Amino acid sequence: MRPIVVLPPPVCLSVINCVTFPIPNVTPDQAEQQLLKPNEWSYCDYFWTDKKDPQGTTSVAGFEVLLQKQLKGKQMQKEMAEFIRERIKIEEEYAKNLSKLSQSPLAAQEEGTLGEAWAQLKRSCHDEAEVHLKFSNKLQCEVEKPLLTFRDNFKKELKKYDHHIIDLRKQLASRFAGVEKARKALADRQKDLEVKTQQLDIKHMNKHEEDIKKARRKSTQAGDDLMHNVDLYNRAQSKWFEEMVTTSLELERLEVERVEMIRQNLRQYTTLRHETDMFNQSTVEPVDQLLQSVDPARDRELWVREHKTGELRPVDMDI
Amino acid sequence: MRPIVVLPPPVCLSVINCVTFPIPNVTPDQAEQQLLKPNEWSYCDYFWTDKKDPQGTTSVAGFEVLLQKQLKGKQMQKEMAEFIRERIKIEEEYAKNLSKLSQSPLAAQEEGTLGEAWAQLKRSCHDEAEVHLKFSNKLQCEVEKPLLTFRDNFKKELKKYDHHIIDLRKQLASRFAGVEKARKALADRQKDLEVKTQQLDIKHMNKHEEDIKKARRKSTQAGDDLMHNVDLYNRAQSKWFEEMVTTSLELERLEVERVEMIRQNLRQYTTLRHETDMFNQSTVEPVDQLLQSVDPARDRELWVREHKTGELRPVDMDI
């Protein structure tokens, strides 16, 4: 006779949404888990458990938290591009106003060296406008556009990851249900065997032994079936585990890339700002030079040559 | 018997609006006139004659041309101040827009070292706004205001000069009329004397001689009277001449002062522009520093610490 296989339910593991976790200090033969990537605060180490929704009974998969982080990152990228767009509009407005001012006829009648310096001052406002317009154009090409277009199809990509992981969890849940079903079937079979074994029927001894043998066989089969289901479960969990590690590391890499991309673009912003201030400074130089050359005596000469009425001085009347 | 004084009309002088000028190469005893202030293109050398209005018969006194120049200068000063006012408005608008943008909530949810760099970038827009606001305030105090308030009461001053010179010209014209009147009276007396001298009246010899004597006396008196009027004229012309020299030199000095004042204020404008661009440059530095410190690994750590769901990794289901 084969020994009776009694399979206890898994009491040394905690089960959260069909995933089996060790219970620290309780589960036997469990060495303390080391982080897969120590000192790296890696995604693959910290998002195994589902997060319980504080207000209700629903929970969010750890992977879902990682995905939300990615979506938020995409949103941040978009909002930064919007901010740059607003800056571009402000620069264009400023440029437009300066350009218009530069065409003002105010004091256009000032002549000579002073008039030239004044005309250059007005012109410098137009030069400043050009500098700011150039700034806004470069902001658009070199900062806003890259921020807008980086990872255009990202949400689609993320959906793929999401669906894949969700499918693996579904399979896991399905296998877990299979284990539970097999466990229950085994329990039924064991109970049946026990009941039959304890009965004593002197009258129908042969049939009874037959019945016990049958019950024992079924019990053994149910035990095999349970082991098989547990094996299927563990394979499904492994598959999910591997995918979790792979995908979360990929998301981690993508996040590093995102941060670096943004940093680059914001550096480009500050570079353009530096550039702009320098170009702007240079618009003042021609004005300074002409102011240096302002010469009241020269201006008097120019004006007198043009407007003099007569050099001949009056003399006394003669008689 | 006294000699007959025959006074010819002044044929070697040209008279323009009651002012007597020499005729070059014609008027005797006239050395070539040297400029009062050679090589200086001084007002006192070039505005003696009245300027004829090309379209009509009216004319404008040379001094009037100088006065118009002064009024135009005052107008230029005012228009320059208006231009600066327009620049101030543009700067205030730009500052207002940048300040508003700096308070934008866009991408405020970005966290960690990247979030700090982003927050500083937004803050730098406010810093830029402050720089431009400071620029506009200084433009108002240090450029616009001086341009507006320089020689507040100038038009009144000019009116005084104007009226004084006009009065002297009126006196001159009046004295000139006096000379013309005396000249005519002399001519009449001379004619009378001639007529009487040519008459022969044997019948009334004594009375006739008496008449001739009387006519001769009147003629002499008329001659003295003419000389006296010419003397009065010449004194009036001298007075006007001196005032012309003094006042035109004063206007010349005022114009030099005006040009220098404007040059100073426009230099202040360029100084403020330089300053502003430099201050503006410095608003970017904190952003650069924080961008330098962006650390994706650090940001991951911060985020994972806050959002992790669980470090315990799943294990196989046991049987």
Side-chain angles (χ1 to χ4, degrees):
Chain A
M1 249 171 38
R2 273 171 62 182
I4 300 167
V5 178
V6 178
L7 296 164
V11 292
C12 299
L13 296 177
S14 78
V15 180
I16 302 167
N17 289 340
C18 308
V19 182
T20 50
F21 294 93
I23 301 172
N25 305 323
V26 172
T27 310
D29 304 325
Q30 281 294 335
E32 194 180 313
Q33 278 183 358
Q34 301 300 314
L35 294 172
L36 296 171
K37 301 190 92 190
N39 301 319
E40 285 197 42
W41 291 92
S42 177
Y43 285 179
C44 70
D45 273 320
Y46 293 93
F47 291 89
W48 293 109
T49 327
D50 295 351
K51 186 173 81 173
K52 223 177 184 62
D53 172 10
Q55 285 170 341
T57 51
T58 51
S59 57
V60 172
F63 184 76
E64 207 49 43
V65 176
L66 291 174
L67 262 163
Q68 286 306 315
K69 168 74 173 159
Q70 292 291 321
L71 287 168
K72 185 169 158 199
K74 191 84 176 72
Q75 181 63 22
M76 293 302 97
Q77 173 191 330
K78 181 166 169 264
E79 289 186 12
M80 287 176 184
E82 271 179 58
F83 184 92
I84 300 300
R85 170 52 40 189
E86 289 304 310
R87 180 71 195 242
I88 288 167
K89 292 200 298 208
I90 290 170
E91 292 298 320
E92 286 176 344
E93 179 75 11
Y94 186 55
K96 190 184 82 176
N97 290 338
L98 285 175
S99 194
K100 188 160 176 241
L101 179 64
S102 77
Q103 290 166 42
S104 163
L106 287 167
Q109 297 177 61
E110 191 68 65
E111 293 167 328
T113 59
L114 182 61
E116 275 173 39
W118 176 250
Q120 185 59 41
L121 189 147
K122 286 203 276 186
R123 218 173 289 130
S124 75
C125 289
H126 178 74
D127 296 340
E128 282 183 74
E130 292 288 289
V131 167
H132 284 269
L133 210 56
K134 188 170 179 180
F135 176 46
S136 79
N137 289 340
K138 284 191 159 194
L139 274 180
Q140 191 270 321
C141 299
E142 299 176 22
V143 184
E144 187 200 24
K145 189 165 178 216
L147 281 172
L148 274 178
T149 59
F150 179 75
R151 290 184 191 157
D152 244 356
N153 265 332
F154 196 51
K155 285 189 182 176
K156 268 193 186 170
E157 296 292 314
L158 288 178
K159 268 200 158 65
K160 280 190 205 160
Y161 288 132
D162 198 21
H163 291 157
H164 192 192
I165 296 283
I166 283 172
D167 278 347
L168 293 173
R169 279 294 287 265
K170 280 183 180 162
Q171 281 181 50
L172 188 66
S174 166
R175 294 305 185 200
F176 188 84
V179 164
E180 288 301 293
K181 189 174 170 195
R183 190 188 298 282
K184 186 175 184 307
L186 173 64
D188 288 348
R189 290 284 141 251
Q190 282 180 332
K191 182 148 194 196
D192 187 54
L193 176 64
E194 197 184 318
V195 161
K196 287 196 160 95
T197 308
Q198 281 172 2
Q199 278 177 340
L200 207 53
D201 192 346
I202 301 175
K203 261 208 304 192
H204 305 103
M205 212 50 147
N206 276 349
K207 184 173 180 297
H208 191 62
E209 270 192 38
E210 209 52 54
D211 283 345
I212 290 175
K213 271 191 196 163
K214 201 169 169 183
R216 194 174 281 131
R217 246 188 344 262
K218 283 205 164 126
S219 197
T220 305
Q221 246 175 354
D224 290 343
D225 196 43
L226 176 58
M227 287 201 300
H228 175 65
N229 272 286
V230 166
D231 182 52
L232 284 177
Y233 172 85
N234 286 335
R235 286 190 209 199
Q237 187 172 254
S238 273
K239 238 172 127 190
W240 168 72
F241 182 93
E242 275 168 38
E243 204 59 33
M244 271 290 283
V245 173
T246 307
T247 309
S248 60
L249 286 176
E250 176 63 7
L251 295 185
E252 182 173 313
R253 188 193 68 77
L254 288 170
E255 176 62 7
V256 169
E257 235 182 44
R258 181 192 76 99
V259 172
E260 285 297 345
M261 178 279 294
I262 288 174
R263 188 221 298 238
Q264 280 309 102
N265 281 306
L266 299 190
R267 271 196 158 141
Q268 191 54 25
Y269 170 88
T270 61
T271 297
L272 291 177
R273 277 276 299 102
H274 275 297
E275 216 177 73
T276 296
D277 285 337
M278 274 177 14
F279 287 147
N280 223 32
Q281 284 246 45
S282 68
T283 64
V284 190
E285 269 137 54
V287 188
D288 275 332
Q289 279 176 31
L290 287 175
L291 283 174
Q292 186 96 329
S293 310
V294 165
D295 183 354
R298 174 75 182 138
D299 286 357
R300 180 173 62 245
E301 176 181 343
L302 290 165
W303 182 79
V304 167
R305 279 183 187 267
E306 195 183 331
H307 294 95
K308 63 184 176 168
T309 62
E311 288 136 69
L312 222 45
R313 286 191 296 282
V315 290
D316 276 351
M317 190 186 276
D318 239 344
I319 48 169
Chain B
M1 252 171 36
R2 270 169 63 184
I4 300 170
V5 179
V6 179
L7 294 166
V11 290
C12 296
L13 297 174
S14 77
V15 181
I16 302 168
N17 290 341
C18 311
V19 182
T20 51
F21 293 94
I23 302 173
N25 304 323
V26 175
T27 310
D29 304 326
Q30 281 296 334
E32 193 179 312
Q33 279 183 358
Q34 301 299 317
L35 295 170
L36 297 173
K37 301 189 91 188
N39 301 319
E40 286 197 44
W41 291 92
S42 176
Y43 286 179
C44 70
D45 272 321
Y46 294 92
F47 293 88
W48 292 110
T49 328
D50 294 350
K51 186 172 79 173
K52 222 177 184 67
D53 172 10
Q55 284 169 340
T57 51
T58 52
S59 55
V60 171
F63 184 76
E64 207 49 43
V65 176
L66 292 173
L67 262 163
Q68 288 306 316
K69 168 75 173 159
Q70 293 291 321
L71 288 168
K72 187 169 156 198
K74 190 84 176 71
Q75 181 62 21
M76 293 301 97
Q77 173 190 331
K78 180 168 170 264
E79 289 185 13
M80 288 177 184
E82 271 179 58
F83 184 92
I84 300 301
R85 170 53 38 190
E86 289 305 309
R87 179 73 195 240
I88 287 167
K89 292 201 294 207
I90 290 172
E91 292 299 320
E92 287 176 343
E93 179 77 10
Y94 185 54
K96 190 184 82 178
N97 289 339
L98 284 175
S99 193
K100 188 160 177 239
L101 179 63
S102 77
Q103 292 166 42
S104 164
L106 287 167
Q109 299 176 59
E110 190 68 67
E111 294 167 327
T113 59
L114 181 61
E116 275 173 39
W118 176 250
Q120 184 58 41
L121 189 147
K122 286 202 277 186
R123 219 172 289 131
S124 76
C125 290
H126 178 74
D127 296 340
E128 282 184 76
E130 292 287 289
V131 167
H132 284 268
L133 210 56
K134 187 171 179 179
F135 176 45
S136 78
N137 289 339
K138 284 191 160 194
L139 274 181
Q140 192 269 322
C141 299
E142 300 176 22
V143 184
E144 186 200 25
K145 189 166 178 214
L147 281 173
L148 275 178
T149 59
F150 179 76
R151 289 184 191 159
D152 245 355
N153 266 333
F154 196 51
K155 286 187 180 177
K156 270 194 186 170
E157 297 292 313
L158 287 179
K159 267 200 158 65
K160 282 188 205 162
Y161 288 132
D162 198 21
H163 290 158
H164 192 190
I165 296 283
I166 282 172
D167 279 347
L168 292 174
R169 280 293 289 265
K170 280 184 180 161
Q171 282 180 47
L172 189 65
S174 165
R175 294 305 185 202
F176 188 83
V179 165
E180 287 301 292
K181 188 173 171 197
R183 191 186 299 282
K184 187 174 184 307
L186 174 62
D188 288 347
R189 291 286 142 250
Q190 283 181 331
K191 182 144 197 207
D192 187 55
L193 176 60
E194 196 182 318
V195 161
K196 288 198 161 95
T197 306
Q198 282 172 0
Q199 277 176 341
L200 209 55
D201 192 342
I202 299 167
K203 263 213 292 187
H204 304 105
M205 212 48 143
N206 274 350
K207 183 174 183 291
H208 190 60
E209 274 197 32
E210 208 52 56
D211 282 345
I212 290 174
K213 272 191 197 165
K214 199 169 167 185
R216 196 173 282 131
R217 247 189 342 263
K218 281 204 167 135
S219 197
T220 305
Q221 243 174 3
D224 289 343
D225 195 45
L226 176 57
M227 288 202 297
H228 175 64
N229 273 286
V230 166
D231 183 52
L232 285 176
Y233 172 85
N234 285 335
R235 286 193 210 197
Q237 187 171 252
S238 273
K239 237 171 127 190
W240 168 72
F241 182 93
E242 275 170 36
E243 204 59 34
M244 272 290 284
V245 173
T246 307
T247 310
S248 62
L249 286 175
E250 176 63 9
L251 295 185
E252 182 172 313
R253 189 193 67 75
L254 288 170
E255 176 62 7
V256 170
E257 235 182 45
R258 181 192 76 98
V259 171
E260 285 297 346
M261 179 279 293
I262 288 174
R263 189 222 297 238
Q264 280 309 102
N265 278 308
L266 299 190
R267 272 195 157 142
Q268 191 54 24
Y269 170 88
T270 62
T271 296
L272 292 177
R273 279 276 298 103
H274 275 296
E275 217 176 74
T276 297
D277 286 336
M278 275 178 11
F279 287 147
N280 223 32
Q281 285 248 43
S282 69
T283 64
V284 191
E285 268 136 58
V287 187
D288 275 331
Q289 279 176 30
L290 287 174
L291 283 173
Q292 186 96 329
S293 311
V294 164
D295 182 354
R298 174 76 183 139
D299 286 358
R300 181 173 62 246
E301 175 181 345
L302 291 165
W303 182 78
V304 167
R305 279 183 187 267
E306 196 183 329
H307 293 96
K308 63 184 177 170
T309 63
E311 288 136 68
L312 221 48
R313 286 192 297 282
V315 290
D316 277 350
M317 190 188 274
D318 239 344
I319 48 173

